[in-house]
Amino acid sequence: MDRKEFLKKGLMGTGMFVTAAALGDVLKNDIDEIKAPEPIGFNHLPATDSKVTENTVLHKAATRGHANHGWLDSHHTFSFANYHNPDRMHFGVLRVLNDDRVDAGMGFGTHPHDNMEIISIPLEGDLEHKDSMGNTAVIRKGDIQGMSAGTGIYHSEYNKNKDQLTKFLQIWVYPNKRNVSPRYDQITLNNNDRKNKLQQIVSPSADDEGIWIHQDAWFHLGHFDQNFGTDYAIKKTGNGVYAFVIKGDFTINGIALNQRDGLGIWDTDKLSIKADSADAEILLMDVPMML
């Protein structure tokens, strides 16, 4: 069995989801992770009802891909599994941004990944993680989880609660080093550190704030009062920023955003951010535009 067939079996067989047998042919397409990642860069034009200028791309929440498997309700900002949109493959090295809801007692069975940096951000409830490196952990709101899949790992994710659903963001980033040793990381943040400011949660350095990944990428979370404004300086020349509104309304560089909207900006030095509603939350992903 060659590598592609091996990964397809692992990702799409009975081990992919707890309830895979009930999904019928939902998983018949190739999983995007095993497809050739070329080309990397500016292949991120939006759907026809999205706004584009020379250096921005706007993805409204309603234009995302959507898959509801009953126990799993998932919205895909970029092409993933059965949602394939050639105009929405990635934003630079940001490959996947999934907004997932997992019902109580359900989850993803053991499945493989390789050569991908995977970041999970719980928004509600908790998720139990187990992997082939021997890690068993529970991530909750306030935690950030990172995995460098590298040469290959297997893992599973379950909502062990019997009466509470789990909501979380799963994000995949192409690494700048291939075939590294697999690695697991998890931290618990102080949510007060993002009150009316941007809290760093991901960076390229183990000595910096947040978890670290094999990529020149920096992620920040912010939780703002209405009318609070701040600027964000791009960390590295050649990077762009993809902003994702977790809750509330924002204006970024004069562009209005609502809950679960995404906005990518490149060829700029900074972003001007203002919260247009109370209790507004945002995620900024500062990533290389070229691999």
Side-chain angles (χ1 to χ4, degrees), residues 235-246:
K235 296 293 187 181
K236 184 178 179 180
T237 300
N239 276 20
V241 174
Y242 195 88
F244 183 74
V245 178
I246 296 173

Side-chain angles (χ1 to χ4, degrees), residues 66-264:
H66 182 219
N68 190 340
H69 305 300
W71 67 274
L72 170 67
D73 190 10
S74 184
H75 288 83
H76 313 308
T77 294
F78 305 106
S79 293
F80 186 85
N82 254 43
Y83 170 61
H84 181 74
N85 183 340
D87 292 332
R88 290 173 68 156
M89 295 302 298
H90 53 85
F91 179 82
V93 301
L94 176 60
R95 174 61 190 86
V96 167
L97 174 54
N98 285 351
D99 183 4
D100 290 346
R101 185 218 70 197
V102 180
D103 280 353
M106 307 303 289
F108 305 87
T110 302
H111 58 281
H113 295 282
D114 72 357
N115 287 311
M116 194 69 71
E117 302 295 302
I118 302 171
I119 300 104
S120 295
I121 304 175
L123 303 178
E124 182 179 322
D126 52 67
L127 203 64
E128 182 181 270
H129 163 95
K130 294 182 179 180
D131 63 44
S132 54
M133 296 178 283
N135 297 299
T136 298
V138 176
I139 57 172
R140 300 177 174 86
K141 184 175 181 179
D143 294 341
I144 305 295
Q145 180 198 74
M147 289 190 299
S148 296
T151 54
I153 60 168
Y154 285 82
H155 79 133
S156 61
E157 299 161 293
Y158 292 97
N159 178 1
K160 291 289 189 177
N161 297 307
K162 296 181 179 180
D163 57 357
Q164 183 182 9
L165 60 80
T166 292
K167 297 179 182 179
F168 74 109
L169 302 179
Q170 183 166 120
I171 300 162
W172 295 4
V173 174
Y174 288 121
N176 56 17
K177 296 178 181 179
R178 291 181 58 83
N179 298 321
V180 300
S181 297
R183 183 180 59 90
Y184 180 84
D185 198 1
Q186 179 180 337
I187 60 171
T188 298
L189 302 168
N190 183 346
N191 291 340
N192 292 329
D193 289 342
R194 74 186 69 149
K195 181 65 173 178
N196 286 332
K197 57 184 176 180
L198 293 168
Q199 178 187 36
Q200 183 172 289
I201 63 170
V202 173
S203 82
S205 173
D207 297 324
D208 210 346
E209 296 178 357
I211 63 171
W212 69 275
I213 63 174
H214 293 283
Q215 188 52 268
D216 292 326
W218 291 261
F219 288 14
H220 290 77
L221 285 170
H223 188 178
F224 300 149
D225 294 329
Q226 187 169 9
N227 296 321
F228 178 83
T230 190
D231 289 337
Y232 175 80
I234 309 299
K235 296 293 187 181
K236 184 178 179 180
T237 300
N239 276 20
V241 174
Y242 195 88
F244 183 74
V245 178
I246 296 173
K247 184 167 62 172
D249 305 307
F250 284 87
T251 297
I252 298 181
N253 287 13
I255 299 173
L257 302 173
N258 308 115
Q259 185 162 302
R260 291 329 203 243
D261 288 351
L263 175 69

Side-chain angles (χ1 to χ4, degrees), residues 18-36:
V18 172
T19 55
L23 301 183
D25 63 354
V26 169
L27 302 176
K28 64 184 178 182
N29 287 352
D30 285 352
I31 299 298
D32 292 300
E33 184 185 6
I34 66 176
K35 295 180 180 179

